[in-house]
């Protein structure tokens, strides 16, 4: 199960970020841990506190909401780091992945107003 999850996550990272990670890479392992933590935090149950924020204060919702939000923020940080790296090395003549394609489209949109 773990090998399949790692391989699937690595394929998604490769397509999205243009980078395949070694299975013992600390950044990749952290990402996998955060994804697993998000799944274990039962985010479906956390949709209700997003709709009705007052529910965050109820014991049934509070711990799970906090765990899910922590994992989401960690995943966002990982993605932001990857995007920053792409922005620094961006070459509009050499699009290699989804992030590059997004940055290219973003630049085109800014140029067209």
């Amino acid at each position: 199960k773990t090998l399949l999850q790692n391989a699937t996550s690595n394929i998604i990272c490769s397509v999205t970020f243009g980078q395949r990670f070694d299975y013992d890479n600390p950044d990749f392992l952290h990402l996998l841990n955060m994804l697993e933590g998000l799944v274990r935090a039962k985010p479906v149950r956390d949709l209700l506190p997003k709709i009705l924020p007052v529910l965050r204060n109820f014991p049934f919702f509070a711990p799970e909401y906090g765990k899910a939000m922590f994992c989401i923020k960690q995943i966002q940080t990982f993605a932001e780091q990857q995007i920053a790296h792409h922005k620094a090395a961006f070459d509009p003549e050499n699009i290699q992945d989804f992030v590059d394609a997004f940055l290219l489209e973003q630049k085109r949109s800014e140029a067209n107003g």
Side-chain angles (χ1 to χ4, degrees):
K1 180 179 176 179
T2 302
L3 182 60
L4 184 59
Q5 289 172 337
N6 290 356
T8 304
S9 297
N10 223 347
I11 290 168
I12 293 169
C13 284
S14 178
V15 171
T16 305
F17 304 121
Q19 178 180 0
R20 185 198 168 282
F21 293 93
D22 289 333
Y23 290 130
D24 60 350
N25 179 295
D27 292 333
F28 183 64
L29 292 174
H30 182 68
L31 175 65
L32 293 176
N33 286 333
M34 291 302 103
L35 290 169
E36 184 174 336
L38 183 60
V39 170
R40 288 189 179 187
K42 301 170 187 73
V44 172
R45 188 170 73 183
D46 293 327
L47 289 176
L48 206 50
K50 282 204 171 280
I51 297 167
L52 298 168
V54 71
L55 293 177
R56 295 177 191 166
N57 300 321
F58 287 84
F60 178 73
F61 293 105
E64 303 302 330
Y65 181 80
K67 289 176 193 174
M69 292 311 298
F70 174 78
C71 292
I72 289 169
K73 287 179 182 174
Q74 292 292 308
I75 293 166
Q76 285 175 331
T77 299
F78 177 84
E80 288 168 358
Q81 290 170 348
Q82 293 295 316
I83 292 168
H85 174 72
H86 276 70
K87 283 182 178 178
F90 182 68
D91 178 5
E93 301 299 321
N94 187 19
I95 303 303
Q96 298 181 354
D97 51 46
F98 282 141
V99 174
D100 283 345
F102 174 78
L103 293 174
L104 179 62
E105 191 59 35
Q106 190 176 43
K107 290 196 181 293
R108 285 181 183 161
S109 176
E110 288 172 359
N112 293 334

